[in-house]
Amino acid sequence: MNDHSNQESQHHGEKPVARREMSRRQFLNYTLGGAGAFMGAGMLVPMIRFAVDPVLQPKAQAQWVKVVEESKVTNEPKSFKFKVHQVDGWYESEPELEAWISKGKDGKVFALNPTCKHLGCTVNWNGSPEFKDQYYCPCHGAHYTADGKNLAVAPLPLDEYEVKIDQGFVYLGQLGPNKRV
């Protein structure tokens, strides 16, 4: 026998493969479901981008802020308040910050952040008669040298602002770890 009749005898007992056709109802379900998913994604993508975009933006360096005349800075630390323009996501504000500014033994001007490195309370210069000529934190007794070196309780020294002197004024920049100690 030829090959054609062999194939027919092998497939003789099987049913022919029926092609399944799509009904109108299935077609409409697929079409409407796909269009709905496309429109839903079109609404969700901008919302997700709106929520995530500020997190993905690179963090900007702090702008230089004019704080005080250089002639007013002495060897004794003094507290100076200043405002910075701040943008948190979509919220813009101008909080008032504080810095303890003085001249070091080398004659250079430096500025320390008054936030205690123990639990975030505000330190004061000569804030306790027990710790003369030191920064003192009234919350838990942490104290620091004039350069911001931690002496007790606090695990780290006070943070230091970048300082720039321009035309007789002291400008403060980015806050970072203390480089003096």
Side-chain angles (χ1 to χ4, degrees), residues 2-3 16 29 54 60 79 96 99-100 102 123 127 160 167:
N2 62 17
D3 290 334
N29 281 339
S79 173
E96 186 174 73
W100 286 90
S102 64
V123 300
E160 182 180 9
Q167 297 179 1

Side-chain angles (χ1 to χ4, degrees), residues 138-160:
C139 295
H140 301 101
H143 50 105
Y144 304 85
T145 65
D147 285 333
K149 182 178 183 341
N150 51 321
L151 297 174
V153 181
L156 297 169
L158 294 173
D159 287 337
E160 182 180 9

Side-chain angles (χ1 to χ4, degrees), residues 110-121:
F110 69 96
L112 298 175
N113 182 357
T115 305
C116 180
K117 298 304 275 187
H118 178 233
L119 290 176
C121 296

Side-chain angles (χ1 to χ4, degrees), residues 21-41:
E21 292 189 23
M22 186 182 299
S23 69
R24 280 187 232 151
R25 179 171 289 181
Q26 287 176 322
F27 175 76
L28 285 173
N29 281 339
Y30 292 151
T31 304
L32 291 175
F38 181 75
M39 289 192 308

